[in-house]
Amino acid sequence: MFSTLAVRCGKASAGVLAAAALGGSLLAVVPAQAAPPARPYGAVTASSGINERVFPTTDSAVKGVIKYHAQVPLRCKARAQDVAGNAMWYLVRDRNTWVAGRYVDTTGEIPVCRTLTRGALDDSAESRRAMG
């Protein structure tokens, strides 16, 4: 059957002929999009990506970088160091690292982190109010 199609189609590409011979569609070759993580999660909005940090402050050690548009599962949120007008930081669920809220577009209800020590946060007025 394949040889008959090849003769009839002339200059058709081998991929088109193979798909036709198998009765499939060329659309079936396109890989499926990965499903987003369970809620809550966030999408990275910074075109250069964002740093994952040990604590919610830019003075903390960088543990990794999350690429632009990556979807990140989030555990909870806390007010800490202000980054470009946004004092919210998110604890990444599966890596136990922090990302600055300024560069994350969130989806789902994100609970407030309740088990943080004051040493992990800065001493801003926002932090004092959030910690109670």
Side-chain angles (χ1 to χ4, degrees):
M1 178 176 170
F2 183 73
S3 60
T4 305
L5 286 172
V7 171
R8 289 186 183 164
C9 294
K11 294 184 178 181
S13 72
V16 171
L17 292 175
L22 296 173
S25 163
L26 291 178
L27 296 176
V29 181
V30 177
Q33 292 283 339
R39 289 183 180 209
Y41 67 90
V44 176
T45 61
S47 61
S48 59
I50 58 173
N51 292 327
E52 290 181 90
R53 297 190 178 270
V54 175
F55 298 108
T57 173
T58 57
D59 293 332
S60 180
V62 174
K63 297 300 275 186
V65 176
I66 303 173
K67 294 181 181 180
Y68 177 58
H69 277 204
Q71 294 178 332
V72 183
L74 303 174
R75 180 181 306 161
C76 59
K77 63 185 176 182
R79 289 196 176 274
Q81 180 188 21
D82 186 289
V83 176
N86 188 329
M88 195 61 62
W89 285 74
Y90 300 105
L91 184 59
V92 177
R93 187 179 323 142
D94 56 351
R95 294 190 289 271
N96 207 29
T97 55
W98 292 89
V99 292
R102 171 69 175 93
Y103 306 108
V104 178
D105 186 17
T106 62
T107 300
E109 186 67 30
I110 303 167
V112 173
C113 300
R114 298 280 181 203
T115 59
L116 298 176
T117 62
R118 186 166 302 274
L121 303 173
D122 73 348
D123 199 28
S124 67
E126 292 88 2
S127 292
R128 289 192 299 274
R129 280 195 300 276
M131 295 299 290

